[in-house]
Amino acid sequence: MPLNPLEAALAAISTAKPQTERDLLVAAKCIGLMVGYDKRWLEETVATFDVDGIEYFVESDLWNPETNRKSRSFRIAGILDISATRKDNGHRVITDHKTTSDDIEDPAGPYWRQLVVEAQPSHYMLLEWLNERKVDDAIWDVVRKPAIRPRKVSKADASSVAVSGRYFNAEMPEASLRYLRDNLHEDGALYSARLAHLCGTEEPQRYFARRSVPRMDSELREWAIELWGHSQDMLYARRDNRWPKNAKACIAYSRPCMYLGICSGYDTPNSDKWIKKQQVHNELTIIESDGRDVLTNSRIGVFQLCRKKHYYQYELGIERLDEEEAEALYFGSLWHLAQAAWWTAIKNIDISIQSA
């Protein structure tokens, strides 16, 4: 019997097999959020969308829209999270999963205002258009990462849980009940149950939001012109071997750039701390080339942020052997894994309904 969307998502999280305490906490956080997400969006999603594409690769030639000339050096590509058709009006939409620590409740807040100028919706919609699949709308499916962590539990509350076997209305495994009795503290399962109740029942609007990110045809043309311009800037930088540093980009989200040691003179690209990647785009393992001729939205963003970082990451193609994945990156990858499984199950529901 096929798994329902929530079961599929939780099974996907379990396949990641977290090892460290940090990984276990991130997995517990994803489980709690996924339970809340399913409660918030399941019925609406099934009623609204016919899903036709999940985590699919799209590529195209790069064209100069002002001269209709094709680039001999670059092509463009991306991985799109979801494509679907609205059941009410037949409009084709793409959906992108996002996680953030910012406030997402206020539709006029900074997070949503920034999306007005964000290039990613334009990049994806342009890719689809160049493949003769016109997109009517882009939807950002955003989850706010919770700040809460596992907490202590009072003796009275622990006794109540021991009697009922339930915590925040969720049945708890025996191992968690024993852990609570001995430690008066939440383990991963207890923490997930509290988080699921908080985001799924008490404050869903605080943690989950879906909003349209519209783009007019003229805006897609404008992005196509900008994209061509970026490609020419990259070619000039290659020709002159000019890759200036941007010191303002050395620290982001309280974490140093992985190449800071090289830029500051404490390391060199030839040391044994670095390896050359066979594929410079970690997310595009499907392509056959080394990726140096491929422009993605992420690559353009790095080029705009710091040309020296772009050189090391996409031209030289090096990465640290001991580079640890930050918690935010691990959370994002695990969340995308769960989302792909959830939406795949939604798609299977649609297929079952259509074939019935």
Side-chain angles (χ1 to χ4, degrees), residues 49-56 58 80-87 90-95 128 133-135 343-344 346-348 350-351 354:
F49 300 113
D50 282 322
V51 180
D52 52 68
I54 300 168
E55 294 282 339
Y56 64 102
V58 185
L80 277 63
D81 287 342
I82 303 294
S83 68
T85 302
R86 287 188 176 276
K87 294 179 179 180
H91 286 179
R92 188 163 183 274
V93 301
I94 58 173
T95 299
E128 288 286 79
R133 295 187 295 266
K134 187 70 165 61
V135 175
W343 282 88
T344 298
I346 294 288
K347 182 179 180 180
N348 291 338
D350 289 337
I351 292 173
Q354 292 166 9

Side-chain angles (χ1 to χ4, degrees), residues 30 33 81 96-102 104 111 140-146 207 253 327-336 339:
C30 282
L33 279 174
D81 287 342
D96 201 76
H97 311 313
K98 293 296 181 185
T99 61
T100 182
S101 297
D102 298 333
I104 59 174
Y111 182 86
W140 251 226
D141 185 13
V142 185
V143 172
R144 183 176 182 174
K145 292 180 289 187
Y207 291 97
Y253 304 106
E327 180 175 329
L329 294 177
Y330 183 70
F331 176 89
S333 63
L334 203 59
W335 185 253
H336 268 74
Q339 285 288 301

Side-chain angles (χ1 to χ4, degrees), residues 205-222:
Q205 73 285 348
R206 176 181 173 85
Y207 291 97
F208 308 119
R210 288 180 180 174
R211 298 197 190 284
S212 172
V213 188
R215 289 291 186 269
M216 298 177 63
D217 291 354
S218 59
E219 292 175 294
L220 297 186
R221 175 178 169 79
E222 181 181 346

Side-chain angles (χ1 to χ4, degrees), residues 33-296:
L33 279 174
M34 200 66 234
V35 174
Y37 180 93
D38 182 79
K39 184 174 183 178
R40 172 64 184 90
W41 293 122
L42 177 61
E43 291 186 8
E44 183 174 328
T45 302
V46 172
T48 304
F49 300 113
D50 282 322
V51 180
D52 52 68
I54 300 168
E55 294 282 339
Y56 64 102
F57 173 71
V58 185
E59 65 178 337
S60 171
D61 292 324
L62 173 64
W63 295 86
N64 182 342
E66 297 182 311
T67 65
N68 204 33
R69 180 166 67 90
K70 184 173 73 172
S71 173
R72 294 177 295 177
S73 303
F74 293 110
R75 54 199 176 109
I76 57 176
I79 300 289
L80 277 63
D81 287 342
I82 303 294
S83 68
T85 302
R86 287 188 176 276
K87 294 179 179 180
D88 58 348
N89 57 19
H91 286 179
R92 188 163 183 274
V93 301
I94 58 173
T95 299
D96 201 76
H97 311 313
K98 293 296 181 185
T99 61
T100 182
S101 297
D102 298 333
D103 171 64
I104 59 174
E105 287 188 74
D106 182 3
Y111 182 86
W112 300 106
R113 290 205 305 268
Q114 187 269 338
L115 276 179
V116 174
V117 296
E118 167 64 46
Q120 189 172 4
S122 300
H123 190 82
Y124 288 170
M125 294 175 80
L126 177 64
L127 268 171
E128 288 286 79
W129 197 350
L130 290 171
N131 279 276
E132 300 182 352
R133 295 187 295 266
K134 187 70 165 61
V135 175
D136 297 292
D137 198 7
I139 296 174
W140 251 226
D141 185 13
V142 185
V143 172
R144 183 176 182 174
K145 292 180 289 187
I148 67 169
R149 301 178 75 84
R151 69 180 184 185
K152 292 182 177 180
V153 180
S154 69
K155 288 184 179 180
D157 287 343
S159 297
S160 177
V161 173
V163 172
S164 67
R166 305 182 72 83
Y167 190 63
F168 283 91
N169 205 35
E171 187 173 350
M172 291 293 100
E174 286 296 327
S176 294
L177 296 177
R178 289 195 301 270
Y179 183 88
L180 181 60
R181 180 195 65 203
D182 297 337
N183 298 278
L184 295 179
H185 200 278
E186 293 175 339
D187 69 351
L190 292 158
Y191 167 66
S192 292
R194 178 165 62 93
L195 175 57
H197 178 78
L198 176 65
C199 68
T201 302
E202 291 188 0
E203 298 181 289
Q205 73 285 348
R206 176 181 173 85
Y207 291 97
F208 308 119
R210 288 180 180 174
R211 298 197 190 284
S212 172
V213 188
R215 289 291 186 269
M216 298 177 63
D217 291 354
S218 59
E219 292 175 294
L220 297 186
R221 175 178 169 79
E222 181 181 346
W223 171 243
I225 294 171
E226 289 182 24
L227 192 57
W228 181 265
H230 291 314
S231 75
Q232 298 309 293
D233 289 342
M234 286 184 190
L235 291 176
Y236 296 147
R238 279 181 180 176
R239 182 195 64 194
D240 299 335
N241 196 28
R242 293 176 62 86
W243 307 99
K245 306 180 185 72
N246 175 15
K248 301 296 184 182
C250 293
I251 305 292
Y253 304 106
S254 303
R255 189 166 184 258
C257 170
M258 75 167 72
Y259 305 108
L260 181 57
I262 298 177
C263 290
S264 59
Y266 287 88
D267 198 358
T268 70
N270 299 319
S271 77
D272 58 5
K273 297 177 182 177
W274 300 90
I275 59 171
K276 278 202 172 184
K277 299 185 289 184
Q278 292 184 343
Q279 165 55 257
V280 299
H281 301 273
N282 292 333
E283 74 276 22
L284 296 185
T285 55
I286 191 172
I287 63 177
E288 296 180 358
S289 71
D290 61 16
R292 287 172 173 80
D293 63 333
V294 175
L295 301 185
T296 63

